[in-house]
Amino acid sequence: MNVLEIKQLTKKFNHFIAVDGVSFSIAEGEIFGLLGANGAGKSTAIYMIAGLLKITKGEIKLLGKDIKKNSKFAKMNIGFVPQDIAIYEDLTAFENVKFFAGLYGLRGEELNQKVTEALAFVGLGDKEKSYPKRFSGGMKRRLNIACAIAHKPKLIIMDEPTVGIDPQSRKHILESVKKLNETGCTIIYTSHYMEEVEAICTKIAIIDHGKVIAEGTKEQLKTLITDTKDIWIEVKNSDDIDLEELKNIKGIRAVQLVNHTIQIHSDAEVNNLNDIILHFMKMNIEIRSLKENAPNLESVFLTLTGRNLRD
Amino acid sequence: MNILNIYTKEMKSDFRDSQTFIFFLAFPIILMIILGTALSNAFTSGITLDEITVLYKSDGNEELLTHFQGLLYEAGKQGFTFEEAEVVDAGIQAVEENQAHAFIVLNDAGIDIYGSDLNTIETSIIHGMMTAFADQYNLYQQQIDLDQASSVPHDYIQHSSLNGAKQPDSMDYYAVAMAVMISFFSLYASYNLFRGEKTLRTGDRLMAAPIAKSEILIGKVAATFSMNAFFLLIMIFFSKYVFNAEWGDHLLVVITLLFSLILFAICLGIAISFIAKTPEATATISVLFVQVACFLGGVYFPIDTSSGGLFSFFASLSPLTWSNEAIREVIYGQNPAAAYPVILLNLCIAGFCYFITVFYLRRQEGL
Amino acid sequence: MEKWLLASKFALVGYVALTLLDGQNPSVILLFCLLYICSNLAINIFHQSIFKQIMSLVTVVLVIVATSYVDPVFILLLPLNIGEWINRWTGHYLLPMVMVFLPVLLIGIELQVLYGVIAAISLIQVFMVSQFSKKVSYLEKNEDEMRHSINRLTKALNENKEYNRQLEYTIKLEERNRVSQEIHDQIGHNMAGALIQMEAAKRLIESDQAKAVELLQNAIHISSDGIESIRLTLKNLKPKTEQMGVHRLKLIIDDFIVKHGLSTTFLYKGNIDLITPIQWKIIFENVTESLTNAIKYSDATNIHVDIHVLNQIIKIVIKDNGRGSLGYTKGLGIAGMEERAASVNGKVIVDGSDGFAVTTLLPLAN
């Protein structure tokens, strides 16, 4: 079942078209990554899903219901983690989460329990009574997430949740995103960090100039561009190498020897690096360096849009 | 329910901030002490009324005249000078030329008072006195109707409006002025209500939650109102019992008026924050507006709005002037009715600003 | 909508006439009432807004004259007219409100309340009428645009069909031509040669058997060569759309260089044979459109056309080095490109941030 279905979504600001006929759908249990440069329209799209911006044209359906007509239902089922840290500095961590969760109709003991759960989930269980003024950037980010998940939404929207924080907090946040996903949450995730998206997203859409230009799993996206990869292996002594034998390894299409470097052209989808290395070890040939030039999301993005994600 | 949520959150934020206490409580009280003591001499001589001159003319109502003469006797002891005018026109002319503060005509239909706009305080005192006199006289007349035999009581002239203790001294003046001022300072608390959500980015989060903009608005206005009302009440009772400031016999009316002023200031502040484009502009407009209004409203030193000059004209435009004068009229003129038009006006402007806010909130996306 | 305004004006003038006609000077009052009706009708008759405004102004002046020289009751007619006039003139709501209520200060106390009520009702009516007429004209404009785009789409659809039919026919024709040419040139010669050899062998089979066998062997060789060349011919005869495509695109670009003198570069990368005729058609049209746009708007000195065939996607970029445009409006040109691309599930991305670049992404057909 599709948690979210978007059809021909369009947003105009006066004459500027920020989102231009975007359509995609997100199945239950997915971590859906939205990739795009600054100003590509991903935040605008997200804001429309979260009900922060009016929809100029098109349709968004959450759990089968149009969010324009069922705005309260939609908001109850969505948890929104804004890009900027949005918490009250003069309320404690507990009070922050409690205030926002309270807006979703939770009351009394149930409210307190869910707030405690949410704080424990992001690893701030021992900081309930502290004021966020004294928090590090990473802790604020985690509190920012806790405020959006206490009411147990079906769909969580995370807009750049890892901007400007230390690696440890980043790791923690990525892990909690996965844990949230395991508890049954569907997640929309935007990020500038290609590695993050590659690591956690089950499906990815690339947005550029307000349009979805490609969509699919990361493997599907990579095969859009190419289905081959290049492996360069520099060896100490290349005299007694049998190139023909290398070609028998699965996936390898062509092999060439230039100076001391063996250039291997291979199918991208086949993971044959292990076999190749094993082959060299069997032949007792010393490997000096190894470089693999496989397509990644970064190169997909660059090829399709002609620019880097982080300009 | 969400309104209550917003309300409690705002109250928590307000009362956790020590600045709130400094700004809305310590500042006015300290200012009251400084101004009240430093300016006490200059002030008392300024406000003490030297002598009130009243002309009167009787038009044949003998019974009324008898009673009136009783009033003359008592009032003469309180610093009033009564003279009888020869003809009505002469009396009116005297008032017009500011030779007398008021001219009273006693006739069969009742009492006509010709006052001068140049001397608001004197006129209002005379007005208050004559109103009291008329009330007493009516009462007396009815008693006569009921019981012809009872003797005429002569103590009705003991009206509080003539009590010496009721002359405003500097502390009384600044107690009222500071109350008006902190009521209007609510604007400082309100102009950041929505701007704050924007700069903190929590506005997005609020908009993503199932809560209507109107709930946020009402919750915030209610919380700010409660906070300011709370500090206002503390200040009033502090000045009343610690400094013995005069708050008159109609304290409830005065408080209602100040509450309406708070509401006015809150709604105005929010409206400004929506009309002005940037946070800086909002802050500048708010600070400037409040300070000019306070200055013209006679918060820092009394301004005579009756002198007729350009300055007094501007002063009469300040909402604080209206409230200040109305409160003094209530306290010293014993005339609670003077507060009602100002309350109404404050509420109307508050309503107008509220609708401007609602208009902007509905039109724009987000908060 | 304006009919309703007119109706209320007449109702008001009726009221004024009824209250005044039994007094003095009924003839003058009647005259003014009639003048008022005439000038208001005139507002409705004219279509140009300038005349409408002039007549509105005339009406306002008429009412003021009647108020000051005939009877103050005429002021009751003012709010509707002054509101209508200023609202039409400025489009604002606040100014008419102020102007309508301003006369309250000038008129006698006995008329003030009535005037206030009428002013309020008139304002509401004027605003409602103005809003509804705006809405109506907006909807009409929308409908017009929609009708236009339906027309355009139908036309494009028909053209597409026609083009496909023609292309198919041309390719068939070309194929047929080539087949006949090749058969004539090669297989024909071969077969003729083999035939002659076999004829000779038949004659020699009695007299010189060894020679006959040699001739037959020759014929067999020639025949097998012929079969090979048939295979080759058939193989070569596959429609070379890619050649046609690239050549035609080069032609378009060369033509453009000649006409406009802009330096234009063209590059292609990847397996260009995979592009289908219909995709080529879209590429031609989008390139032509973009080049025309560049000439019209960009002040560019250089245009670069780049076709890149990736694994599952074709990327066509036309980029100029002109002044670009950040707040471009989507005109018919770009909309047309998008529609064409969408017909084969493709996308068009327009980027005006650094020069002007139009990127068309088309999925490769499997």
Side-chain angles (χ1 to χ4, degrees), chain C residues 265-332:
Chain C
T265 48
F266 171 48
L267 251 174
Y268 63 88
K269 220 163 46 171
N271 188 358
I272 214 101
D273 326 357
L274 296 174
I275 305 176
T276 64
I278 186 75
Q279 287 171 337
W280 271 118
K281 178 181 181 278
I282 291 163
I283 294 172
F284 298 148
E285 285 176 358
N286 282 8
V287 169
T288 318
E289 179 77 49
S290 304
L291 291 177
T292 322
N293 280 347
I295 278 298
K296 268 199 230 162
Y297 307 115
S298 79
D299 286 337
T301 55
N302 186 298
I303 303 171
H304 181 70
V305 180
D306 183 32
I307 297 180
H308 192 168
V309 181
L310 298 153
N311 195 32
Q312 291 178 351
I313 230 170
I314 313 164
K315 186 174 108 176
I316 303 105
V317 182
I318 305 113
K319 188 175 185 331
D320 65 43
N321 63 349
R323 69 174 114 91
S325 156
L326 281 175
Y328 66 91
T329 45
K330 219 188 230 184
L332 282 184

Side-chain angles (χ1 to χ4, degrees), chain B residues 110 129 144:
Chain B
M129 181 177 80
I144 288 178

Side-chain angles (χ1 to χ4, degrees), chain B residues 229-274:
Chain B
F230 172 74
F231 285 122
L232 176 70
L233 290 179
I234 290 188
M235 208 224 88
I236 288 178
F237 289 111
F238 189 80
S239 65
K240 188 172 164 73
Y241 293 112
V242 179
F243 297 138
N244 285 321
E246 176 61 49
W247 282 99
D249 299 333
H250 303 279
L251 189 55
L252 215 58
V253 177
V254 173
I255 289 176
T256 313
L257 193 152
L258 289 169
F259 279 5
S260 75
L261 187 64
I262 292 179
L263 206 60
F264 167 18
I266 290 174
C267 292
L268 181 66
I270 298 178
I272 289 176
S273 77
F274 276 97

Side-chain angles (χ1 to χ4, degrees), chain A residues 15-17 20 208-209 211-214 220 222-227 302-307, chain C residues 308-313 315 326-330 334 338 347-353 359 361:
Chain A
H15 283 300
F16 179 68
I17 305 170
D20 190 359
D208 194 34
H209 288 96
K211 289 177 185 165
V212 172
I213 59 173
Q220 283 170 338
K222 285 176 195 168
T223 48
L224 275 184
I225 303 305
T226 176
D227 54 2
L302 180 67
T303 318
L304 288 183
T305 66
R307 47 187 182 157
Chain C
H308 192 168
V309 181
L310 298 153
N311 195 32
Q312 291 178 351
I313 230 170
K315 186 174 108 176
L326 281 175
Y328 66 91
T329 45
K330 219 188 230 184
I334 292 172
E338 281 180 348
K347 294 261 162 63
V348 171
I349 301 154
V350 181
D351 178 9
S353 58
T359 308
L361 294 170

Side-chain angles (χ1 to χ4, degrees), chain B residues 315-364:
Chain B
S316 65
L317 288 181
S318 164
L320 277 74
T321 312
W322 318 329
S323 304
N324 243 336
E325 286 187 347
I327 291 176
R328 261 175 273 156
E329 177 71 23
V330 173
I331 297 176
Y332 305 112
Q334 291 290 353
N335 180 14
Y340 301 140
V342 178
I343 292 175
L344 197 68
L345 185 64
N346 285 346
L347 291 180
C348 281
I349 300 176
F352 180 67
C353 294
Y354 186 82
F355 281 113
I356 288 182
T357 309
V358 170
F359 171 75
Y360 274 92
L361 267 178
R362 280 175 156 239
R363 207 181 56 167
Q364 76 187 28

